Amino acid sequence: MRIVKLTSEQKKGILEDLLQRSPNHYGQYESAVAEIIRNVRERGDEALFSYTEQFDRCPMDEAHIRVTQEEIDEAYRAVDEAFVEVMKRSAANIRSFHEKQLRNSWFDPKPDGTILGMRIMPIAVAGVYVPGGKAAYPSSVLMNVIPARVAGVERIIMTTPPGRDGRVNPGTLVAAHIAGVDEIYKVGGAQAVAAMAFGTKSIPKVDKITGPGNIFVALAKKACFGYVSIDSIAGPSEILVIADETANPRYVAADLLSQAEHDELASAILITTSPALAQQVSDQVDAFLKKLERREIIEKSLEHYGYILLVDSLEEAAETANDIASEHLELLTADPFALMTKIKNAGAIFLGEYSSEPLGDYFAGPNHVLPTNGTARFFSPLNVDDFMKKTSIISYSRQALERAHRDIECFAENEGLTAHANSIRVRFEEVRR
């Protein structure tokens, strides 16, 4: 990996390079995505079946688009029993973590006759998109579905592309069953997002769409936002490691590579105060690359978005991490908890050498659907609140409104909204006589 002494100019260049990976910079595909959405919106199932045959090489019709219980049973027979049990343990951890996020409606009555509150309710229908083929990730099924189920969503549907044989990845089906999906449909790509956003004869319209996908899926979610809610427009995976001279270079290298293998656009960055560690990590990366299966992808990722950055202090390291606002941030220092207090922007923070990033991907419980491309500055991990909606409750007695009505009228009149003022004024006309 390239080793760079960090300067302000280099930091600016690195940040610009990283942001170029955002789906916001793939406008050349937007017209194709818009055409798919328009066709699905106008032609419904007819368009869905046509696109499934065109893109997935799989004939599809109304009788076969929904996954059956028999297919789920077959999936259980195809998946190793030990893996099924691992998924169940992971699901239990995810459920336990997200149950702590639940909030209740609240009401605040006052003696003067005012009642203010917030009614908190789950959305009615959630839609989860799951990639298929080589990009099938049962862990993402658990992470997207379980928070919705914990929130109390009544109906959870899932779409995922079929193989040429019309089958869905068995691990995906087992994970969906464990997580509590109600309906699974064999459709992928931008057309699946459009179907969930607008509804077809076969696929119901949902209130929110979550889940990862390729650039066409990301752009379709972006285009449908407003007609339906979405989680985020996710970019390629990222890991940032801050390490000092106490870190184990073999651990650091292994953790960087764990994200670089995702995608040629994935980013893996080490920030360190130790030149010796920097060189050791680079050497370990080279050694690991000789035996890792996804070597070609990793090498391209590191070539374009891999860095080892040398800084003068951990304070500078934290400042740089806050500027990058990485999806995953590992702190491998003598006192990671002290350093954590300086971190403002990160999707998930992993503290200490036994808290490597894959722990969060698969098992610990916190959600692995995280903000990318610097959006950790203002976005949060997927959570139970994402599947809840809140309604304000307002109740004033006549006595309470009488004390406030002149203030409200004053406000409305100063904004030039006389009908607003009149709506309050008419309730006290007899008082003015």
Side-chain angles (χ1 to χ4, degrees):
M1 289 181 70
R2 77 193 100 177
I3 301 174
V4 178
K5 181 68 174 75
L6 189 64
T7 65
S8 58
E9 194 62 31
Q10 286 167 332
K11 184 197 295 187
K12 180 181 178 182
I14 290 170
L15 290 173
E16 290 176 352
D17 285 345
L18 293 177
L19 290 175
Q20 290 301 314
R21 305 170 310 136
S22 167
N24 291 323
H25 289 85
Y26 288 83
Q28 67 267 36
Y29 302 112
E30 288 182 348
S31 60
V33 169
E35 178 67 11
I36 291 172
I37 293 171
R38 184 186 65 78
N39 272 331
V40 172
R41 193 173 182 183
E42 293 178 357
R43 297 167 50 219
D45 279 353
E46 180 187 354
L48 280 188
F49 302 154
S50 175
Y51 283 129
T52 301
E53 185 163 3
Q54 177 183 346
F55 297 135
D56 300 308
R57 303 292 189 266
C58 175
M60 187 56 62
D61 55 37
E62 187 177 347
H64 297 92
I65 192 171
R66 182 170 173 178
V67 171
T68 64
Q69 184 60 49
E70 289 76 15
E71 288 175 289
I72 294 173
D73 294 340
E74 184 180 340
Y76 268 97
R77 291 191 291 270
V79 176
D80 183 79
E81 288 184 13
F83 182 38
V84 173
E85 293 306 312
V86 167
M87 282 195 279
K88 288 180 178 178
R89 291 195 291 272
S90 174
N93 290 343
I94 296 166
R95 188 172 296 108
S96 176
F97 179 85
H98 287 81
E99 284 173 346
K100 295 177 175 62
Q101 299 173 353
L102 279 169
R103 293 192 289 166
N104 296 318
S105 300
W106 57 269
F107 298 89
D108 183 23
K110 297 288 181 61
D112 65 0
T114 64
I115 301 174
L116 302 178
M118 184 72 70
R119 189 180 179 196
I120 303 175
M121 300 171 292
I123 61 175
V125 186
V128 176
Y129 183 86
V130 178
K134 295 180 180 178
Y137 299 117
S139 59
S140 286
V141 177
L142 301 179
M143 293 290 183
N144 280 272
V145 174
I146 291 175
R149 186 55 71 199
V150 169
V153 175
E154 296 175 8
R155 187 180 185 187
I156 302 174
I157 76 162
M158 189 178 93
T159 63
T160 188
R164 293 190 179 190
D165 59 0
R167 297 175 182 271
V168 173
N169 179 280
T172 296
L173 290 185
V174 171
H177 184 262
I178 290 171
V181 173
D182 295 302
E183 303 156 40
I184 306 170
Y185 296 94
K186 301 173 187 176
V187 59
Q191 59 271 24
V193 174
M196 289 191 284
F198 299 105
T200 71
K201 182 178 179 181
S202 296
I203 298 179
K205 174 178 169 56
V206 305
D207 299 311
K208 183 160 192 167
I209 301 172
T210 68
N214 61 20
I215 187 61
F216 292 95
V217 171
L219 289 175
K221 288 169 70 175
K222 179 180 177 182
C224 291
F225 177 67
Y227 297 100
V228 65
S229 179
I230 63 172
D231 49 354
S232 64
I233 304 170
S237 189
E238 307 163 341
I239 186 169
L240 176 61
V241 179
I242 298 179
D244 61 15
E245 69 282 354
T246 67
N248 184 319
R250 189 168 175 82
Y251 295 173
V252 174
D255 293 354
L256 291 170
L257 296 175
S258 74
Q259 293 306 291
E261 76 168 345
H262 267 296
D263 189 319
E264 294 172 2
L265 295 176
S267 168
I269 299 174
L270 166 64
I271 305 177
T272 182
T273 53
S274 170
L277 179 77
Q279 187 58 57
Q280 291 167 346
V281 169
S282 182
D283 293 342
Q284 288 289 337
V285 166
D286 292 340
F288 277 126
L289 277 175
K290 295 176 182 178
K291 55 185 180 182
L292 291 173
E293 293 181 3
R294 296 169 69 86
R295 175 176 178 174
E296 186 175 339
I297 292 174
I298 294 172
E299 286 179 334
K300 289 182 179 179
S301 167
L302 296 181
E303 177 185 352
H304 293 104
Y305 304 108
Y307 299 91
I308 297 177
L309 305 177
L310 287 171
V311 295
D312 294 327
S313 66
L314 289 179
E315 286 72 21
E316 184 182 359
E319 179 184 335
T320 303
N322 285 327
D323 289 337
I324 294 174
S326 185
E327 178 186 17
H328 306 101
L329 174 61
E330 289 189 4
L331 305 182
L332 303 181
T333 60
D335 191 351
F337 285 90
L339 184 58
M340 179 189 67
T341 63
K342 303 180 186 299
I343 301 300
K344 299 177 180 178
N345 304 324
I349 303 175
F350 300 79
L351 305 172
E353 64 182 7
Y354 294 105
S355 304
S356 60
E357 189 279 335
L359 174 66
D361 271 351
Y362 297 116
F363 203 74
N367 211 288
H368 79 196
V369 180
L370 302 167
T372 58
N373 284 110
T375 60
R377 292 178 293 110
F378 46 82
F379 277 146
S380 305
L382 190 70
N383 61 84
V384 169
D385 267 359
D386 286 308
F387 299 95
M388 308 293 281
K389 57 191 181 77
K390 305 169 184 69
T391 303
S392 298
I393 304 297
I394 303 168
S395 176
Y396 266 50
S397 67
R398 178 182 176 83
Q399 178 186 5
L401 184 61
E402 187 170 8
R403 280 194 296 271
H405 79 94
R406 295 188 188 280
D407 289 343
I408 302 166
E409 293 164 22
C410 176
F411 223 129
E413 287 165 355
N414 273 276
E415 290 191 348
L417 300 176
T418 54
H420 279 62
N422 187 60
S423 172
I424 299 294
R425 187 179 294 111
V426 296
R427 285 163 167 76
F428 299 98
E429 288 177 325
E430 73 282 2
V431 177
R432 298 174 188 272
R433 294 185 185 129

